[in-house]
Amino acid sequence: MEVNELDMNFERTTLDTNLIDQIIDLSVQKKHWHIMDLDEPRDTYMYLIYKIENGAITEILP
Amino acid sequence: MERLLKYCLSVFMLCVSITSCEKSLETGRLETNKQLSEELFKEEFGTHDHLKPIQGSPASMTMLDSILKLDTTNAAAWREISIPYLKRGMPHQWKPLINKAVYHDAKTWQPMRGYLYLIFYRNYKKAIADFDASDTLTDYIDHPQGHSVDFWRGIAYLGLKDYKNSISYWDKHIKRETEESGEDWVELEAFLYRGIAYYESGNFDKALEDFDKAIHYFKQTADAKFYKALILNEQGNSEEAIRMLEDAMVDFKAGFFNNRDYVEALRQIYLEDLEDLKKEILQGN
């Protein structure tokens, strides 16, 4: 898993480690995903962007 | 001595001549490379052909590298090489590349960058800045991705919950479309989003006018019917709200709801939203 910590100008920044751990934990929980029914295993790519303003998640993309 | 001077002058003239020759050769080489870069780009990326390398594949990116090596000012190629990063959620890698496209051809790519900021990253302020810049860059109204910059500003200001500006740009867009082509040519999203801006700002009467127009012109629209059901319910007309919701569900299941490729549309609704509202209304009765 790759995590990019960016500011609103899309420049690299450093965010609070606890916050990132919480978001990762929230993101990977199986109950939050609809698992695709495939005949055979396949490599997939998925990204999530969390917009955080004043300490609160305001939008989840895409 | 005189002969020596003549030789000196000849050498000088020769040097000048060689230098100017080198300059013209260099200019010629640059022009040839520019032309080659344009031709190659047109050939490889000018059409949507399934036989061409897939966007973002190593073959496609290597080809774009070569095209840009021939001409580093090829704005369309900079834009094209940025897109795989955009679509894969890598804004920090997308931005420097799209910025080069804008740097080399702002008239074409600045309004388009605004659209990309808006739709892919919901960066409303940066999107608006690019749409505003397009007002002075060109003496016509730009239409990135097929809609006017006023259309996109209507969405961007709604994203910011700046309802006054959102409605103002929707008014401008809808008025112009109506004058130029007739109200039945106005996009569904224009009525829907202006209606949502009115709804969220508490003006239910004006919101209903827009949702009714969307339903009138497009017939199948789960979103307009969902919002109309919300208003009907808030006005105490729960029976009509349920009927409207059931109609919205039919439209939704038939695929008539506001959505986009790659990303979720702003204020996109889901079947669960319709079902939850129906339950809520039934429980309230």
Side-chain angles (χ1 to χ4, degrees):
Chain A
M1 184 188 299
E2 183 181 318
V3 179
N4 294 305
E5 299 163 49
L6 308 173
D7 63 18
M8 293 301 270
N9 289 314
F10 302 156
E11 301 294 337
R12 287 199 185 276
T13 188
T14 307
L15 301 173
D16 181 75
T17 317
N18 286 334
L19 176 80
I20 293 170
D21 288 345
Q22 277 181 44
I23 289 174
I24 292 173
D25 186 46
L26 186 76
S27 305
V28 298
Q29 286 177 33
K30 226 174 173 179
K31 64 177 181 183
H32 293 149
W33 291 86
H34 291 293
I35 310 294
M36 285 172 76
D37 188 18
L38 299 169
D39 294 335
E40 56 188 45
R42 277 191 208 168
D43 291 335
T44 56
Y45 173 91
M46 178 70 202
Y47 76 88
L48 288 169
I49 295 177
Y50 292 90
K51 274 179 74 176
I52 301 162
E53 289 170 275
N54 302 318
I57 295 172
T58 53
E59 284 184 288
I60 302 174
L61 310 176
Chain B
M1 184 63 197
E2 195 179 326
R3 187 176 286 178
L4 183 64
L5 188 64
K6 271 185 186 169
Y7 283 141
C8 280
L9 280 172
S10 298
V11 170
F12 175 71
M13 291 299 286
L14 192 65
C15 284
V16 171
S17 161
I18 288 171
T19 312
S20 68
C21 244
E22 275 177 359
K23 270 188 183 167
S24 96
L25 275 173
E26 178 64 11
T27 311
R29 189 180 64 80
L30 286 175
E31 277 170 12
T32 310
N33 282 355
K34 194 178 170 70
Q35 195 181 341
L36 211 59
S37 176
E38 275 173 22
E39 282 171 7
L40 208 52
F41 182 80
K42 200 174 167 187
E43 192 182 312
E44 294 297 325
F45 299 94
T47 53
H48 292 288
D49 184 341
H50 71 282
L51 295 173
K52 297 279 164 64
I54 295 167
Q55 192 177 52
S57 66
S60 169
M61 297 303 263
T62 308
M63 174 63 76
L64 284 165
D65 277 339
S66 305
I67 289 169
L68 285 165
K69 206 170 176 183
L70 284 168
D71 177 17
T72 56
T73 71
N74 189 330
W78 282 118
R79 177 258 172 199
E80 183 63 37
I81 205 169
S82 81
I83 297 303
Y85 298 103
L86 171 94
K87 290 179 178 172
R88 286 162 179 75
M90 302 169 178
H92 56 302
Q93 287 173 275
W94 163 75
K95 191 178 126 177
L97 301 171
I98 192 71
N99 283 356
K100 288 195 178 178
V102 172
Y103 177 78
H104 291 296
D105 183 1
K107 282 185 183 178
T108 305
W109 298 115
Q110 192 153 3
M112 178 55 84
R113 185 178 63 183
Y115 158 79
L116 299 175
Y117 266 131
L118 173 63
I119 296 301
F120 283 84
Y121 298 130
R122 298 210 186 161
N123 197 322
Y124 309 115
K125 289 181 182 171
K126 284 191 180 297
I128 290 165
D130 277 343
F131 299 140
D132 288 350
S134 79
D135 289 342
T136 48
L137 279 168
T138 57
D139 56 6
Y140 50 84
I141 294 168
D142 290 273
H143 282 68
Q145 207 72 5
H147 298 286
S148 78
V149 286
D150 295 331
F151 176 103
W152 296 121
R153 274 185 285 221
I155 295 179
Y157 278 110
L158 177 62
L160 286 174
K161 297 185 179 167
D162 180 343
Y163 302 117
K164 191 182 161 201
N165 269 312
S166 177
I167 290 165
S168 165
Y169 277 109
W170 286 122
D171 285 347
K172 189 178 167 210
H173 173 76
I174 291 169
K175 183 172 181 277
R176 195 183 51 253
E177 290 289 308
T178 304
E179 283 170 0
E180 286 176 3
S181 314
E183 196 177 64
D184 55 338
W185 275 80
V186 175
E187 305 94 325
L188 166 59
E189 296 93 331
F191 292 125
L192 177 67
Y193 279 124
R194 188 172 66 177
I196 293 173
Y198 276 127
Y199 173 77
E200 290 185 10
S201 57
N203 191 338
F204 291 176
D205 290 341
K206 293 293 282 181
L208 263 182
E209 275 179 31
D210 277 327
F211 299 138
D212 279 338
K213 276 192 178 171
I215 295 165
H216 170 72
Y217 287 120
F218 295 91
K219 313 291 180 219
Q220 292 164 296
T221 158
D223 305 82
K225 291 174 187 175
F226 168 71
Y227 277 97
K228 184 167 179 176
L230 275 171
I231 295 173
L232 288 167
N233 185 46
E234 289 188 43
Q235 290 175 338
N237 195 347
S238 55
E239 276 182 33
E240 188 58 28
I242 291 286
R243 271 198 294 275
M244 193 56 61
L245 266 179
E246 282 169 352
D247 209 2
M249 284 180 194
V250 172
D251 291 352
F252 191 96
K253 286 172 187 167
F256 294 97
F257 61 96
N258 188 29
N259 67 101
R260 301 190 64 83
D261 289 336
Y262 302 112
V263 292
E264 182 185 73
L266 188 71
R267 304 290 193 273
Q268 183 169 327
I269 58 167
Y270 293 85
L271 193 56
E272 289 88 339
D273 295 316
L274 306 175
E275 289 167 346
D276 288 349
L277 180 60
K278 189 177 172 184
K279 266 186 225 161
E280 191 187 311
I281 297 172
L282 290 173
Q283 280 166 3
N285 284 341

